[in-house]
Amino acid sequence: MEILSKRVRSIKQSPSNYANQLATERKAQGKDIISLAIGEPDFPTPDHVKQAAIEAMRLERTKYTTVDGITELKQAIVRKFKRENGLDYATNQITVGTGGKQIVYNAIQATVDPGDEVIVPAPYWVSYTDMTILAEGKPVCVPCLHEHDYKLQPEQLERAITPRSKWLILNSPNNPSGATYTAAELRGLAEVLLAHPNVWVLTDDMYEHLLYDGRSFATIAQVEPRLAERTLTVNGVSKAYAMTGWRIGYAGGPKKLIDAMRKMQSQSTSNPNSIAQYAAIAALEGPQDLIAERAVIFQQRRDLVVERLNRIPGLSCPKPKGAFYVFPSCTGLIGKRTPEGKVLTNDQEVTVYLLESADVAVVQGDAYGISPNFRISYATSVPLLEEALARIDRAVRRLV
Ligand SMILES: Cc1ncc(COP(=O)(O)O)c(C=O)c1O
């Protein structure tokens, strides 16, 4: 009898983790690989955050906590939502988990029954679809176009909604495209949703603070308060405060949903790491100037990467307004032949070619539901980015 469940066999390993794993293996074999596959800031966690963790340990705050977070952290999150997003939540409408990932997982597990549909605009963070499949739901992927800067249009949303639709998942700024919705664009989507009271919205705002060109952030429950009673606003400290390893994510939403998510968590991981919870309070309540300083650096890197990519024949890359990814189209490389005589037929083969002949790891667009593209994370130093782009340029020019 097969030991592995149908459930686990129905999903795949996170492709960005996988691409990074391949890069690490090749590095271990002595190759000089540059990995642009992983989505985490290369900056250190701020010192005052680390100090708060040390203090928490000194005070022996190293025991189990309430399942979905200590009250002081929930209060800090309530203040954050009010201060930065104009959203009013009570502490019993807040849940804290082991990363934004667990929050999204809990929400889907707590709500999706077999056959329920989850509308996922593509390109998407790959976990939304696999988490939906794990819950035996049906991801309904809606391809967003290059000419719409990879953003969902209200007419597309209207067409995707059926009586089985349970969630629309929004993610702005977006992983992998960096696409960022303006308040006006969110209002357009909200208009459609108001006419469909059974559809809930999960908005994944993890990249809220990584915004460029003076753009300000908007989230749907703020833009349309009538949707707040069916919106889960997900956020976390991972990307904003360079705290990916600490594993703290959180959400605000209707109490009934938050209670159900806590129940899920109580049967899996229980509380998120107690020390990291104290560190997260320091991140949310401490000085915020680092965020803007780092965003300036990310913006310079984005400009460099977009400009270089658009100089490479066969690639075309819109300039994203947020996050730290670009998602160039590589349509112009499909059908080309490598020096070894292999014809590149899809974006997976393009990324394998770049890994093998440019020693650069990127992730294929197919993993995010849009092809032929690939994702580059520019959360790495300028010299490494310059070297990686020069290698990609040379490798692409060797294609015939
Ligand atoms: C869009 C998006 N949501 C959620 C997450 C998960 O964040 P965390 O590391 O806090 O689990 C990520 C991480 O890559 C992401 O890109």
Side-chain angles (χ1 to χ4, degrees), residues 80-400:
K80 178 263 177 272
F81 276 133
K82 181 74 191 159
R83 181 178 72 236
E84 295 182 345
N85 310 113
L87 294 174
D88 284 303
Y89 291 114
T91 47
N92 66 7
Q93 292 180 287
I94 301 292
T95 184
V96 185
T98 300
K101 199 170 218 171
Q102 186 180 30
I103 296 289
V104 177
Y105 186 85
N106 287 344
I108 291 177
Q109 283 291 326
T111 55
V112 173
D113 280 323
D116 285 348
E117 293 175 2
V118 176
I119 301 171
V120 186
Y124 46 75
W125 182 49
V126 63
S127 294
Y128 305 136
T129 47
D130 279 319
M131 285 181 188
T132 302
I133 293 167
L134 269 183
E136 295 179 51
K138 184 174 159 211
V140 175
C141 301
V142 183
C144 302
L145 303 179
H146 189 277
E147 50 269 38
H148 292 145
D149 281 343
Y150 297 115
K151 285 187 257 191
L152 180 69
Q153 304 299 300
E155 320 75 76
Q156 291 183 296
L157 174 59
E158 182 69 61
R159 277 199 301 276
I161 294 174
T162 75
R164 291 306 303 265
S165 306
K166 201 150 223 178
W167 288 102
L168 162 67
I169 299 190
L170 287 177
N171 171 219
S172 168
N174 175 269
N175 175 4
S177 71
T180 303
Y181 290 77
T182 62
E185 288 163 344
L186 290 176
R187 202 161 289 120
L189 297 175
E191 282 303 317
V192 175
L193 292 163
L194 285 173
H196 296 280
N198 296 326
V199 184
W200 284 51
V201 190
L202 189 160
T203 172
D204 179 341
D205 299 350
M206 289 299 291
Y207 295 94
E208 165 178 12
H209 289 296
L210 294 148
L211 273 183
Y212 314 122
D213 310 323
R215 180 63 71 98
S216 53
F217 179 75
T219 190
I220 197 153
Q222 173 192 29
V223 166
E224 180 43 87
R226 283 176 290 173
L227 289 178
E229 61 188 28
R230 49 185 166 113
T231 297
L232 185 71
T233 306
V234 177
N235 212 316
V237 295
S238 300
K239 316 282 176 174
Y241 301 98
M243 291 177 68
T244 45
W246 297 75
R247 312 305 304 130
I248 296 289
Y250 57 84
K255 182 171 178 305
K256 181 177 176 178
L257 173 60
I258 296 291
D259 288 346
M261 289 167 64
R262 182 187 327 110
K263 192 155 108 183
M264 285 298 312
Q265 192 162 303
S266 77
Q267 295 300 359
S268 55
T269 56
S270 296
N271 65 272
N273 178 297
S274 63
I275 300 155
Q277 291 189 59
Y278 287 95
I281 297 177
L284 293 172
E285 304 263 273
Q288 302 293 307
D289 18 323
L290 261 185
I291 290 183
E293 288 163 21
R294 289 175 175 182
V296 171
I297 298 172
F298 278 126
Q299 180 172 323
Q300 287 161 353
R301 294 177 184 176
R302 175 205 62 173
D303 291 345
L304 168 91
V305 171
V306 169
E307 196 257 329
R308 295 284 161 87
L309 282 171
N310 281 324
R311 273 203 249 151
I312 301 176
L315 300 183
S316 152
C317 185
K319 194 187 250 190
K321 298 286 184 294
F324 39 62
Y325 308 103
V326 290
F327 195 59
S329 155
C330 56
T331 310
L333 306 188
I334 304 303
K336 297 224 166 189
R337 194 178 290 275
T338 69
E340 294 73 35
K342 182 173 172 17
V343 175
L344 299 175
T345 61
N346 57 39
D347 55 24
Q348 159 123 52
E349 291 175 2
V350 171
T351 58
V352 170
Y353 174 67
L354 292 180
L355 183 63
E356 288 178 348
S357 59
D359 287 335
V360 176
V362 299
V363 189
Q364 75 275 14
D366 171 52
Y368 306 98
I370 293 283
S371 278
N373 286 59
F374 57 85
R375 186 192 80 168
I376 283 183
S377 162
Y378 56 83
T380 194
S381 70
V382 167
L384 272 184
L385 287 172
E386 282 182 331
E387 171 63 18
L389 288 157
R391 290 186 192 181
I392 294 176
D393 192 325
R394 284 196 296 272
V396 166
R397 287 175 200 275
R398 284 198 296 271
L399 297 170
V400 284

